[in-house]
Amino acid sequence: MGGTAPMLVITCLLDRVAVPESALNIAKERPKTWLVGLPLCGHNMLNEKGNDIKRLMVEFILNTPSDEVKSAKLK
């Protein structure tokens, strides 16, 4: 499940290949996970919602305490 560090999971709500339910299952099973669903977005998320993805990544990084990331690396 990707370790214990905080994780950002971004899913496109109209994606028929990587369905949003898969992202939801990851978020349910893994602690410290941010789940974001992008509306009006299919499987080509970078071209469809690139600016939104950049903004979400910056918000995630700025709001993730660095001590949580460091302690996860030590485990």
Side-chain angles (χ1 to χ4, degrees):
M1 294 303 291
T4 60
M7 176 188 276
L8 172 62
V9 176
I10 302 172
T11 186
C12 293
L13 297 179
L14 299 179
D15 196 332
R16 290 189 252 169
V17 178
V19 294
E21 289 80 10
S22 296
L24 177 61
N25 289 336
I26 291 169
K28 283 181 179 178
E29 295 293 322
R30 195 170 182 289
K32 301 183 210 168
T33 299
W34 288 27
L35 174 61
V36 180
L38 297 174
L40 305 174
C41 180
H43 192 65
N44 194 3
M45 73 167 47
L46 290 177
N47 289 323
E48 295 176 47
K49 298 286 185 173
N51 289 332
D52 291 332
I53 292 168
K54 285 185 248 177
R55 179 184 50 79
L56 290 164
M57 291 174 70
V58 168
E59 287 178 18
F60 176 75
I61 291 166
L62 292 175
N63 288 291
T64 300
S66 61
D67 60 327
E68 286 186 33
V69 176
K70 288 177 189 168
S71 67
K73 288 180 185 177
L74 297 174
K75 293 180 182 177

